[in-house]
Amino acid sequence: MAKVRVQIAPEVEFKMEVEVEGVDPTTRDYDVQQHKTKVYAEFERRLNEAFPEGLLIHSFEFGLDRGWHDELKEE
């Protein structure tokens, strides 16, 4: 079986849990975004682990997730 290159674009929504000091589920998105460096570093670490061939991120937006997808809920 031959390897092929695939591209996932243009928009993919990722969800992750990350501990950020001073942030809880009631924090405003603006306040969460002040921690962009920490959130992006964790996001990039996880993606690099999943895609060791490399990746390129053109834009990065985030905010508090107000609800997990049903298939990601912990029982």
Side-chain angles (χ1 to χ4, degrees):
M1 187 178 303
K3 287 186 180 181
V4 296
R5 288 186 179 172
V6 297
Q7 179 176 335
I8 301 171
E11 295 180 20
V12 179
E13 183 176 318
F14 292 94
K15 294 181 181 278
M16 70 177 190
E17 288 184 339
V18 60
E19 209 166 297
V20 180
E21 187 177 327
V23 173
D24 63 44
T26 64
T27 305
R28 299 177 311 160
D29 276 346
Y30 175 82
D31 296 326
V32 175
Q33 291 164 3
Q34 302 311 302
H35 301 279
K36 184 174 185 171
T37 303
K38 179 175 181 166
V39 172
Y40 182 80
E42 178 62 13
F43 178 65
E44 186 176 44
R45 183 193 69 77
R46 293 180 187 197
L47 283 176
N48 284 331
E49 191 174 292
F51 300 103
E53 300 86 358
L55 58 114
L56 175 62
I57 299 173
H58 294 283
S59 64
F60 178 74
E61 296 178 27
F62 72 97
L64 283 179
D65 184 17
R66 302 296 179 193
W68 287 89
H69 291 305
D70 288 338
E71 63 270 12
L72 295 176
K73 283 184 183 174
E74 291 184 23
E75 305 267 337

